[in-house]
Structures are given as C-alpha cells and as structure tokens.
C-alpha cells in the first residue's frame, strides 16, 4: 500500500505582521485601561484587572514582554506548523501532532464554549496581538495574529503533554514514508528522563504552626515556566507558575488552597493492533466479525524551503479507534487517545478560584486532566492526592500496557472512572503526602493506598529513588515550617548509590588484588568512594566519579518509567546490583577514571568544577560553551534520587556539564489566616539577556536560596519596580 504524497510550491514566505483592525485596536485600548501591571524587584508581574478577562489580557501581555518567542513557539508546535519555521526536518513532528490534534475541533469547541470562557479566550488573543501592535520591532516567526481558539489545542494545560500509548514520532515517520518493514518494538531503549516533578503536602499535625503546607517543585526544561500573579475584582487572586502562552496559573496557590501537578503514568491512551486487508482506498479492518472501511484524511503540511513554502499532502489513515500511527510485528497500530478537550481548559481555570478541598474536588469531577497527578493543601488543614484524573474504564482481563486486539469490542473503553474510584488519598494519618512521578502506593508512607484495590492500568507507575528519598525526609520531621520544608525539598542524598555503591565496592574488594592490572588505576578512587556518604557537594570528587560511572552502566539501572510487566526503577537497580558481574561494574569505572584524566589531567575533579549553570539566551542559535561565564551547582540528576533535580550534560565542544532541566519554579506555601510563601526561579523571570531579571536569581538558584513572595497588595506595593498599563 502506498500513500499519495503530493508536493507543490505554495507561496513566498511573508514576514510582515498582520495589522489589527480598528475595532480590535479600540477594544484592546479600552481593556488595557482596566489593567495595571506591577513588576516587583524580581521582575515578577502582578496583574490587577477589573474582570477575570482583564487579568488574562494583562497576563499574556506581560508574558510576551518577558519572552514572546517562547509564547509563540508553544503554539506553533501545537498547531503542527513547526516545519513552516524549521523546514522539512520538522515535517513529521508536525504530522505526529496533526494526527492527534485537529485544529478544526478546537475551533468548533470555541464556538460552543460558554460565554465566560469565550471572553477569557478573546482576552488571551487580544493580549498577545496588542503586544505585537504596540511593539512593531518584534517580528513573529510565524504567528502574526493569535486566535482565541488556540488554547483549546490542549487537554489540561500541559503544553508538552501528548499521549500516544507509546507510539513514537520516528514510528510515524517510518509508517507515512512507506517504511513498513516490520520490527519488534523495544521499550527498553530509552534516554534519561529529564523532566518530572516533586509535590509535597504537610498536614497541620506535622507543622509547627498547625497550618497545612505545600511544596511546589516542577522539574521541566529551564525557563519553561515563568512566575506570575493574577488578581481581579471577580474573586481571582492566584500566584504561581504558568507555561508560556497559558492564560491560567498551572501550578500555584490562591488565598484558600494550592495545587502541584506531577507528571503521571496513568494509562490514558492505548494502542490497537488492527486486522487490515486490502490496499489504497480499498483498505478494510475487522471489528466484531464485520469489515469496516479504513477512513482516509488528507493532512496538508507546509514546510519552509528557501524563501518559499511548499506543501506535502499526506493521506492519513484512521480506524474507529483513531489514527494509524505505526507498523509493529506485522500489525497496523492505531491509537485511541484524548489530547485536547474543552473540559480540560475549563478545569484548569476553575481550580484557580477554588476555595478549598470541596471546591477543588468539584473541578476534578470534570475529568479534564489527562496527564497529571495532583498534590493539594488548603487553609482548613486538608491535604489530598489524586493519581491522575481522566481514566478510561477497561476490561481488566487484558494487558493494557501492550497493543490491544483492535478487532473486538471487548477492548473498547467503557466510559470514564468516577473520581471516587481513582487512586487517591485524603488527609492521611501519617500527616504527609509526596509524589515524585512515582507509584501512588507509597504516597503517604504507611497510610498509602493499597495496590491490590485498583486495576493495573490505573497506576502502572513504578517506584523511583526520589520517592524513597521523599518519604524518608517527610516522615522524619514533625514540626515543619516553610524553611524546613524547603530544606527537605533540597535533600542532597543520591539514594540510588545506596544500592549501586556497595555492589561496586564488593566487586573491587573480592576481585581486584595488587597483582591485577586495574589495581593501581582504581585503588585511590575506590578508597575515596568507600568514604562517600552518597550526598552531593560542590567540592565532592566522589560525586563526580559516581555520576560519571553510573551513566556508563546498562540502561536497566536507569529505567525511570516502566510498564506493568516490568520491575520499577528501584527494583531494577537492586536486581542489577545483585546480579552484575564484577567486570560490568569495574570496567566502566576504569573507563571513567581514564576519561577524567584525559579531559582534566587528573581524576581528582570536584563536582562543582564540571557541573555548571550557564544562563544563555533563549535564542536557539545560542550554545553552551566552556569559555562563557558559568557557576558551580551542588545538585545532580533526579535519576539518582536527588530531590532538587539538576539534569546536566556535556555538549559538543565542552568539557563541562551544563544544566538544561530540573528544578525550575520552586515554591513553599503555608496556608493560615494569611498565606505565606517563598519561591525561586531558575535564572530569572525574563528571557531578555539585557534585562536585569535575566540572571537576578541565578546565584540564588545555584545555592537554593529563596525569596519572599509578595501575595497581598500591600506587600506588592512595597516592592514595585515598575507600574504601568499594557501598551504604555
């Protein structure tokens, strides 16, 4: 079977901005008069508007001031139009998105959205468009005029979250370029997971003040979420982190409660192995012993080539389950998923105005959050956890972590689980909740939910070393304050090495003698490692050796997310340590020592000398380099159990490791009669290298030193650096 691929010249690339109509200009000017933006001494925008729509308008205007490029890029990606900017190399990443998200559905949802939501969406688009109108020197890469339906391209506000059940972009490319050579998919091939999150909630029984506390700690790509504050006379007063281009605060708090999302591995998308016969337009698939026609849909993807746009028309294939996206083991693989829905956007907004557990639970009843777990606390002393939210009901006799038989209705979804039936924990007796992208069955220590009470597909997440570390630090403290909560969140123990290092030491002691060729090379490094306490420190040579060594080991010990048929990260690591041959452990160590000597002239290399933080421009043409100014960072990857995650790596031409993701926005909140909070942001709130707020939190970030949050207006006014209206 061959798909029709039609290639033709389209039109020259036009870079001039689309002018706003006079009606739009007048509307924006009038609305801007209702808005005041206060920039505090860290550049955080505090947006005050008469209405919620005013606050949204002001928020988007402020975001564009700080980093329009990132606002635009997030929407270009979700529109499936990256190839119009990057060229043909992004063509199949666009197809990957377009198979899952249809812009026409977003437009349809906008037209039938409730009036209050339409007002917010119009304000969102006006905020961006008015910024472009008032700043003609800013040249969009593609989107000259933002549309109010753009935010409806997502399900739950997680801009980067796409659920495919496991189908990769590479598989889509292979399938739609005619590469149908059947191969066995290997889920064990993976790269280090660099994103994730930590969320902690502390009940009054474990706090010094008798108030509940919340720790907000997303691990994402640096500068992915700025810090903002939105206030309106319609009851909105919310503070936290917003992904560029969102019109609501994604992770944060208001006067009554707070919420932290961690990425979930709940099964929300499934693959189906379809029984297909025929070719071209005659393709049919079997379902309940009846043949149905495979549906065809033309997807036209434009891509930049020189100074013109060309278009590739791709005939996409669909069954009743969804798009056909791969070919595995002689089977066509379709995907059933929900990667955008209006309820997700409604839920994301309504939770920002929740007044406690009861209100927040009502928003969860919308079941619009497909990609996140939620850690919650409120000013009444409640703490709570929900593992996922949108969870299809399935027949438990099937293994839903593998491609399902697409020819029977027995594998169809049977609606959605009621909120009361999903894995959750409300006010546990242990007095704490934690989730670090790990299993919910250790979320509250001994008070955690019991795994046997739930179907496997509802919580396939395994345990990881961050989860183990979090339980330990939270259960050992009984008088938490904001400061103690931050200290717990910055615990520097690398719990994975509590398993790996004894295995290495045992292999050396039992197998290497002075007569062995490795003895002279390894004896001094091993002596140092034997004394190491598994904690990261800036001057720690042992940390350098351990991390560089562990990264050379088999991927079996680095597995972070697993399916239900495999052990989790902790179990896998323990199994590896118990069964590895001495050479599997010692030869990678020898290679590590040799490489350190080659790079630096000695193996005695302190962690802070090579683990660096370098704030570079958000311009994609910028690159990390050893000649530029950088700063030591006494943190390491969450992969090894580090709570304050700092994922660093080498780049082409560098001998130092530079951080790219991990702790981004971090905030500790106490809910009493008045909210108290401290926060920290990677680098600074502005993406403009000439802004003082590009690096004003840089040293604070490398040292884990937090700033006080100005939440109430009297505090905001004490720290005003600039006061203005959009357009001034």
């Amino acid at each position: 079977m061959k798909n029709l691929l039609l290639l033709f010249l389209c039109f020259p690339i036009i870079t001039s901005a689309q002018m706003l109509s006079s009606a739009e200009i007048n509307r924006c000017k009038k609305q801007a008069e209702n808005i005041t933006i206060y920039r505090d001494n860290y550049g955080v925008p505090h947006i005050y508007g008469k209405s919620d729509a005013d606050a949204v308008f002001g928020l988007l205007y402020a975001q564009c001031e700080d980093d329009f490029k990132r606002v635009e890029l997030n929407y270009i990606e979700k529109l499936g139009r990256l190839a119009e900017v990057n060229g043909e190399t992004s063509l199949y990443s666009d197809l990957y998105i377009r198979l899952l998200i249809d812009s026409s559905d977003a437009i349809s949802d906008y037209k039938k959205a409730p009036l209050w939501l339409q007002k917010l969406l119009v304000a969102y688009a006006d905020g961006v468009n008015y910024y472009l109108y008032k700043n003609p020197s800013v040249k969009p890469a593609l989107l000259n005029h933002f549309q109010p339906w753009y935010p409806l391209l997502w399900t739950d506000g997680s801009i980067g979250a796409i659920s495919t059940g496991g189908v990769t972009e590479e598989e889509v490319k292979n399938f739609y370029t005619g590469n149908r050579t059947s191969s066995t998919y290997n889920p064990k091939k993976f790269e280090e997971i660099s994103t994730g999150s930590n969320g902690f909630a502390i009940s009054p029984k474990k706090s010094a003040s008798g108030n509940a506390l919340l720790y907000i700690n997303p691990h994402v790509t640096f500068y992915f979420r700025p810090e903002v504050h939105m206030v309106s006379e319609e009851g909105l007063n919310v503070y936290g982190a917003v992904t560029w281009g969102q019109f609501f605060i994604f992770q944060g708090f208001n006067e009554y409660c707070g919420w932290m999302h961690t990425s979930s591995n709940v099964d929300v998308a499934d693959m189906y192995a379809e029984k297909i016969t025929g070719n071209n337009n005659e393709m049919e698939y079997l379902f309940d012993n009846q043949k149905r026609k495979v549906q065809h849909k033309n997807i036209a993807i434009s891509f930049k080539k020189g100074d013109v746009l060309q278009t590739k028309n791709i005939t996409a294939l669909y069954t009743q389950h969804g798009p056909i996206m791969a070919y595995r083991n002689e089977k066509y693989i379709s995907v059933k998923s929900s990667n955008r829905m209006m309820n997700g956007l409604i839920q994301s907004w309504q939770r920002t105005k929740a007044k406690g557990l009861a209100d927040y639970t009502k928003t969860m009843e919308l079941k619009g959050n497909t990609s996140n777990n939620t850690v919650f606390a409120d000013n009444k002393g409640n703490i709570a956890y929900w593992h996922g939210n949108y969870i299809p009901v399935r027949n438990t006799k099937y293994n839903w972590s593998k491609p399902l038989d697409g020819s029977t209705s027995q594998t169809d979804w049977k609606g959605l689980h009621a909120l009361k039936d999903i894995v959750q924990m409300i006010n546990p007796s242990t007095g704490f909740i934690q989730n670090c992208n790990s299993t919910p069955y250790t979320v509250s220590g001994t008070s955690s939910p019991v795994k046997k009470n739930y179907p496997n597909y509802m919580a396939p997440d395994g345990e990881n070393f961050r989860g183990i570390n979090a339980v330990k630090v939270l259960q050992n403290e009984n008088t938490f304050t904001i400061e103690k909560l931050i200290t717990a969140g910055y615990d520097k123990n690398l719990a994975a090495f509590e398993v790996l290092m004894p295995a290495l030491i045992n292999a050396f002691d039992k197998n290497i003698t002075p007569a062995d060729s490795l003895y002279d090379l390894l004896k001094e490094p091993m002596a140092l490692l034997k004394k190491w306490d598994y904690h990261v420190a800036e001057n720690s040579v042992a940390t350098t050796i351990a991390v560089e060594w562990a990264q050379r080991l088999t991927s079996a010990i680095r597995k972070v997310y697993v399916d239900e048929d495999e052990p989790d990260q902790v179990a896998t690591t323990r199994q590896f340590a118990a069964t590895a041959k001495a050479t599997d452990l010692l030869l990678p160590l020898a290679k590590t020592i040799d490489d350190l000597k080659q790079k630096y002239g000695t193996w005695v290399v302190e962690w802070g000398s090579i683990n660096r933080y370098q704030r570079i421009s958000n311009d994609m043409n910028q690159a990390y380099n050893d000649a530029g100014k950088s700063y030591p960072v006494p943190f390491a990857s969450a992969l090894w159990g580090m709570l304050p995650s700092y994922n660093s790596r080498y780049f082409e031409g560098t001998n130092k490791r530079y951080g790219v993701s991990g702790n981004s926005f971090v905030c500790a909140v106490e809910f009493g009669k008045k909210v108290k909070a401290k926060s920290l942001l990677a680098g600074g709130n502005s993406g403009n290298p000439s802004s003082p707020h590009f690096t004003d939190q840089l040293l604070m970030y490398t040292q884990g030193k937090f700033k006080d949050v100005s939440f109430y207006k009297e505090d905001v006014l004490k720290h005003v650096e600039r006061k203005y209206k959009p357009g001034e």
Side-chain angles (χ1 to χ4, degrees), residues 220-235:
V220 294
T221 305
F222 290 163
Y223 329 122
F224 189 66
R225 291 200 177 111
E227 185 173 352
V228 302
H229 183 198
M230 301 172 70
V231 184
S232 83
E233 295 175 14
E234 293 182 340

Side-chain angles (χ1 to χ4, degrees), residues 230-442:
M230 301 172 70
V231 184
S232 83
E233 295 175 14
E234 293 182 340
L236 182 71
N237 188 5
V238 58
Y239 193 105
V242 57
T243 307
W244 297 109
Q246 285 177 335
F247 69 78
F248 56 87
I249 287 178
F250 183 58
Q251 293 157 319
F253 62 93
N254 59 32
E255 297 171 88
Y256 308 98
C257 62
W259 55 95
M260 167 61 202
H261 297 308
T262 61
S263 298
S264 178
N265 207 34
V266 170
D267 186 356
V268 297
D270 289 311
M271 297 177 288
Y272 289 86
E274 306 286 5
K275 295 180 180 178
I276 292 180
T277 58
N279 291 298
N280 298 324
N281 293 329
E282 303 302 319
M283 294 177 72
E284 295 178 318
Y285 64 97
L286 193 65
F287 185 75
D288 282 350
N289 297 316
Q290 294 183 340
K291 289 186 176 182
R292 299 185 177 186
K293 283 192 174 183
V294 172
Q295 299 301 307
H296 295 68
K297 176 183 174 182
N298 181 67
I299 297 180
I301 300 178
S302 297
F303 61 95
K304 183 175 70 172
K305 192 165 187 178
D307 293 330
V308 299
L309 287 180
Q310 295 187 353
T311 298
K312 186 183 288 287
N313 288 288
I314 298 175
T315 303
L317 307 177
Y318 294 78
T319 70
Q320 66 165 24
H321 297 117
I324 297 176
M325 299 182 70
Y327 191 67
R328 295 183 189 173
N329 304 317
E330 309 294 336
K331 297 287 187 181
Y332 291 87
I333 303 297
S334 65
V335 174
K336 184 174 180 62
S337 62
S338 181
N339 284 295
R340 48 141 260 104
M341 69 172 81
M342 186 158 58
N343 264 10
L345 194 60
I346 292 173
Q347 182 173 335
S348 295
W349 177 262
Q350 288 186 346
R351 66 174 171 244
T352 67
K353 302 181 80 170
K355 295 186 177 181
L357 180 61
D359 270 4
Y360 199 93
T361 302
K362 288 180 182 178
T363 71
M364 293 287 287
E365 294 283 3
L366 290 169
K367 303 174 188 176
N369 195 333
T370 63
S371 61
N372 301 297
N373 310 313
T374 302
V375 181
F376 172 90
D378 72 14
N379 65 352
K380 298 178 180 66
N382 295 302
I383 63 173
Y385 176 78
W386 294 273
H387 197 73
N389 182 224
Y390 171 99
I391 307 176
V393 178
R394 301 166 170 97
N395 188 328
T396 57
K397 79 175 184 179
Y398 293 98
N399 181 351
W400 291 86
S401 68
K402 307 295 184 183
L404 284 304
D405 180 358
S407 68
T408 172
S409 57
Q410 291 296 307
T411 59
D412 278 354
W413 293 354
K414 313 297 182 184
L416 297 177
H417 278 281
L419 182 65
K420 65 181 178 61
D421 294 331
I422 73 173
V423 186
Q424 59 193 275
M425 179 52 60
I426 312 294
N427 294 325
S429 61
T430 51
F432 73 87
I433 287 170
Q434 66 79 29
N435 186 260
C436 300
N437 313 115
S438 48
T439 173
Y441 303 123
T442 58

Side-chain angles (χ1 to χ4, degrees), residues 3 60 118 142 212 341 411 414 417 458 470 504 506 509 547 582:
N3 286 319
L60 268 298
Q118 286 189 359
L142 180 66
M341 69 172 81
T411 59
K414 313 297 182 184
H417 278 281
M458 196 172 277
L504 177 65
N506 183 61
D509 288 347
V547 172

